Each structure stands twice: as structure tokens, then as C-alpha cells.
Amino acid sequence: MAAILARAGAGATAAGGLRSSGDVRRRRNAVAVVAATTTTGAGPAVPQEGSMERPAWSGETPLSRLVGALIAFKPLYSLMKLASREVIIRTAEKSNVPWREMTKQVLESDVYEVFDRIRDLNLVYPDYYLSPFHAYDEGNLSWLAAAEAEPATMSIAKRAIPDAGSIEEANQIVRGNWLNAIEEHHLKYSGNCQINDILDIGCSVGVSTRYLAEKFPSAKAVGLDLSPYFLAVAAHKEEKLSRQNPIRWVHANGEATGLPSNSFDLVSLAYVCHECPARAITGLVNEAFRLLRPGGTIALTDNSELSPVLFTLMKSTEPFLDEYYMLDLEETMRQAGFVNVHSILTDPRHRTVTATMQASSDPNSLTF
């Protein structure tokens, strides 16, 4: 494990363009502070901060415009979409993820009964959510997308940590680093505020929600998503588990949840923002600010930099990828009112951004 962490840290440094803060002249709207996982001797992984400019291929760049033109050509777009899907499935199967078996188990279960209980028929979907996503014409509003979500998530972890001996080990690193970043930030800046209530916005089929519930077992966790299909899969799996505090699942818009203000100590968005236009990301951050109690923590984990090839494939199934990379996420959080905004590269492919809802009794909270 230590050797894998060391190689992952080296890869993160190379992929993220890690530089000392004093050496980097950051461009306007650049991706802000990141950190790579490094090791000191035989000791544990240690995060080291630096700065990373916005990926060179994002925005109005020749590559981005070329990819946009290719996507606009429908026959070629269909091929790119299929290629992107095949990359994910092939990676999963090479890593011994039983993709087809897991999908079949969901589709042949009684998950459909859960769907009727969990769906809010009055929910109005935002326009961007009705776009095709992840090579599914119906986007996240389909049973196939919901059935394949968990094996896809497992595949992503293995792509992030290719040297891991198993999917479980890859997940342990990816999810473990993410959870540790949240815990460390909260302990440092919360003013001794306990994590009693957790909200996981964009929870998908509940993978991230379950990790959060296991990390903080005394807390009550809520998983919220726009897709009733995803939530039905999440709730169906949760019904088979024994937990001190069962997870509650809510079908709602993360930008306007309808949940009470100041009711959570931790709001998490895991792999959500890259699927949203900039206006929606801003709305999600503002809603998280409303929902958090003073001293509470927001944690956003998502893509860091991608290779041009992977970017080309992903953009064919991720319509708002450019907007995600062009948005200064850290500044968006500051504008919402968050303090103690920090970003670290928690694995070679993903960064985690944490910040604090300033406690009224803590006027000296840092705002860098």
C-alpha cells in the first residue's frame, strides 16, 4: 500500500503540474490551490500544497473548439460516445469488476417498487439535467444508467490508482484520501463542531453516502439526488444493510433542496460539479451555505486535470466539462460566504475542495 501511495503521489505531482505557491503566476479564473500526495521516507502519505493553472485544453482553445466541432457532427458524436462508454467498461472488466453481472442484478431486482415510493412527482427538473449524459440518451433519468452507476464508479477508482492490486485497494486510497481531507479540515476549522448531520448532494446510487455514513457512524446521513432511478437503487441496497443510523434518501434539486436552513454539519458533493453548468455549480454552493450550521464544512471532490485524449472522450458524454474547468470553484465558494477554502489533490485524477461556514464566534477565520 505504501509503495502504491508513493507512486500515486508522484503521478499526481506530474499530472497536476504541482508548483510552489511563490513560483506560479496564476491566470484569471485558474484552478486554485491543489496538493499532491507524497511520502516522507517510509512514513504515511503527506499532502503538500502548490498551485495549478487551468488545463491548457479547456475553454476557447484549439483542442476544445476541435472537440466541440466533432461533437456537433452527429454521426461522429455517436462514435465518440460509444468509445467513451467502451473505455469505462473495458477498464472495469480488466480490473475484474463484474459490470454485466452487477447491472443484471439491479435490473432484475424489485428496485422498481422502491422507485414509486421515493419519486417526487412534483419535482421540476432543471433544463441542463434533461441533456444526454454518460452515453445515455436519457441522461441520469434511466434504469440502465442507474444499474451501471456503481460498476462505473469502481472503474473510475481503478483508473485513478492503476497500480492498486484490486478494486477494493483502489477505493480504499481514493475514498480514504477524500474522507481524510474532510475530517482533517473539519477538525481544524469547525471550532469543535461535531458532525451530527450529513447531506450528500448528488449522491447518485449512494456509494459516497455510504462511505460518509461509515466514516461518521454516529451522524445521521441524507442522500439527495435529482434522479429517482439512482435513488431507488441506493435505497434498495440500503434496505439490506444494518446501520446504527439508516440513511435517508431525498428526491430533490440540490440547488433548492427544500430542507431547513442551518440543519447540517457537513455537506458533500462528490463527482457532481463536472456534470453541471457554471450557474448550477454556483447554485449548489449557495444552497450548501444556507444548509450548513456555523462551523460546518462543505466538501467538493471532482476531476483535476485530464489528458487531452481522455478529455476528448469525456467531453462527448459530459456536455458541461468546459464550464467546470473554466469556473474558479474556490472563488465561487468565497463569494458564497465560505472561509478557510482549501484544495488538495487527493489522488492523481481528483481534487477535493473544502471550506467552512464561518462560526459567528470565530471572526478571525482565514479567508485565503
Side-chain angles (χ1 to χ4, degrees):
M1 176 72 76
I4 292 173
L5 284 170
R7 289 194 293 273
T13 304
L18 187 69
R19 311 169 187 181
S20 64
S21 300
D23 292 340
V24 176
R25 296 179 180 179
R26 293 170 56 192
R27 296 178 296 177
R28 187 179 180 183
N29 293 331
V31 176
V33 179
V34 300
T37 302
T38 61
T39 56
T40 54
V46 179
Q48 294 184 341
E49 292 194 3
S51 296
M52 182 179 72
E53 290 188 340
R54 185 180 63 224
W57 39 253
S58 62
E60 291 301 316
T61 62
L63 176 59
S64 185
R65 289 196 296 270
L66 174 61
V67 174
L70 294 174
I71 291 173
F73 184 58
K74 295 302 181 183
L76 188 55
Y77 165 68
S78 297
L79 291 175
M80 293 171 66
K81 188 168 64 173
L82 288 174
S84 178
R85 177 176 169 80
E86 282 302 313
V87 166
I88 296 175
I89 295 177
R90 188 165 59 248
T91 300
E93 292 178 335
K94 285 182 178 179
S95 304
N96 297 318
V97 175
W99 183 290
R100 291 174 176 82
E101 180 182 341
M102 292 178 70
T103 300
K104 182 180 179 182
Q105 286 178 352
V106 172
L107 295 177
E108 294 182 353
S109 70
D110 56 354
V111 68
Y112 309 99
E113 299 174 9
V114 183
F115 176 85
D116 292 331
R117 296 198 307 267
I118 211 161
R119 178 175 52 164
D120 180 357
L121 292 173
N122 297 316
L123 180 63
V124 177
Y125 296 103
D127 57 351
Y128 73 85
Y129 199 73
L130 301 176
S131 302
F133 273 90
H134 299 159
Y136 305 107
D137 291 337
E138 303 88 357
N140 292 334
L141 297 173
S142 74
W143 282 116
L144 183 59
E148 293 185 335
E150 186 161 4
T153 299
M154 296 165 71
S155 174
I156 289 169
K158 191 63 169 68
R159 287 185 67 85
I161 313 293
D163 290 334
S166 65
I167 290 294
E168 291 74 19
E169 187 176 7
N171 265 321
Q172 184 180 351
I173 295 171
V174 171
R175 299 291 181 169
N177 288 351
W178 161 62
L179 291 168
N180 288 340
I182 293 173
E183 183 178 44
E184 290 171 9
H185 183 100
H186 193 79
L187 288 172
K188 186 173 183 179
Y189 296 110
S190 69
N192 297 319
C193 170
Q194 298 295 313
I195 295 180
N196 296 317
D197 295 281
I198 300 170
L199 176 62
D200 188 22
I201 295 179
C203 67
S204 182
V205 294
V207 175
S208 55
T209 322
R210 292 194 294 272
Y211 273 103
L212 288 164
E214 290 162 9
K215 178 69 174 180
F216 306 102
S218 63
K220 296 178 181 178
V222 175
L224 182 146
D225 203 275
L226 269 168
S227 173
Y229 302 87
F230 284 13
L231 288 170
V233 173
H236 182 259
K237 183 163 187 173
E238 182 68 14
E239 288 175 354
K240 301 175 182 178
L241 303 176
S242 177
R243 198 183 302 278
Q244 176 184 341
N245 292 309
I247 297 170
R248 182 163 69 97
W249 308 100
V250 176
H251 183 211
N253 186 344
E255 298 176 68
T257 63
L259 298 172
S261 299
N262 307 118
S263 54
F264 295 94
D265 307 297
L266 171 62
V267 173
S268 171
L269 292 95
Y271 313 109
V272 173
C273 292
H274 76 276
E275 297 184 356
C276 301
R279 70 180 188 278
I281 298 173
T282 301
L284 291 167
V285 170
N286 288 335
E287 179 70 350
F289 186 82
R290 182 186 72 82
L291 292 169
L292 280 168
R293 298 179 179 121
T297 297
I298 181 175
L300 286 70
T301 190
D302 218 306
N303 295 335
S304 56
E305 189 165 358
L306 301 171
S307 70
V309 172
L310 192 55
F311 166 71
T312 301
L313 289 175
M314 282 196 66
K315 190 171 179 179
S316 67
T317 64
E318 304 277 7
F320 307 111
L321 199 58
D322 259 332
E323 291 195 43
Y324 164 71
Y325 279 109
M326 292 295 289
L327 181 68
D328 187 333
L329 186 55
E330 291 82 355
E331 182 58 26
T332 299
M333 294 168 78
R334 294 187 187 96
Q335 290 293 326
F338 286 104
V339 296
N340 306 318
V341 181
H342 293 278
S343 296
I344 64 169
L345 197 61
T346 40
D347 66 65
R349 289 181 180 268
H350 305 107
R351 61 173 175 152
T352 297
V353 188
T354 49
T356 307
M357 167 66 164
Q358 183 171 328
S360 57
S361 60
D362 185 17
N364 297 316
S365 290
L366 302 177
T367 58
F368 57 86

